[in-house]
Amino acid sequence: MSGAGGGGHPADLGLAALSAGPGGASPVVTGLSVDEAILLGDMILFMRAAPAGARAEIIPVELARARRAATLHRQVGYAALRHRLLDILLE
């Protein structure tokens, strides 16, 4: 993991999904589960709680778009991405 601050408890991390919008705008959705972040985001940003407050890591979501919750788990690359995100949360 890159960034300042070392490990931490999952409660000390924030999870946000960023999605490329029209004109390059990036809506940010926070407080998601790992699965919701994968479903909604083009990138997932882990943020540390204060006082560290530093960006922990940005993970690109390179799964095919038009994702559906009911079939997300079948997409190639989903399991590896989910495991990577959980590793970051639990380290």
Side-chain angles (χ1 to χ4, degrees):
M1 182 167 90
S2 63
H9 188 275
D12 295 334
L13 286 173
L15 184 65
L18 290 76
S19 182
S26 294
V28 176
V29 182
T30 60
L32 303 170
S33 72
V34 168
D35 293 318
E36 289 171 325
I38 294 170
L39 178 66
L40 298 174
D42 295 316
M43 293 179 285
I44 298 171
L45 171 67
F46 286 93
M47 299 166 288
R48 297 232 169 262
R55 174 180 57 86
E57 191 162 351
I58 296 175
I59 309 294
V61 178
E62 297 174 344
L63 301 177
R65 260 298 173 191
R67 299 177 201 137
R68 296 184 46 214
T71 58
L72 184 63
H73 66 283
R74 294 188 193 124
Q75 285 202 32
V76 173
Y78 166 79
L81 175 60
R82 188 173 193 280
H83 289 218
R84 182 175 177 196
L85 297 174
L86 288 173
D87 285 345
I88 292 169
L89 281 171
L90 300 174
E91 79 175 13

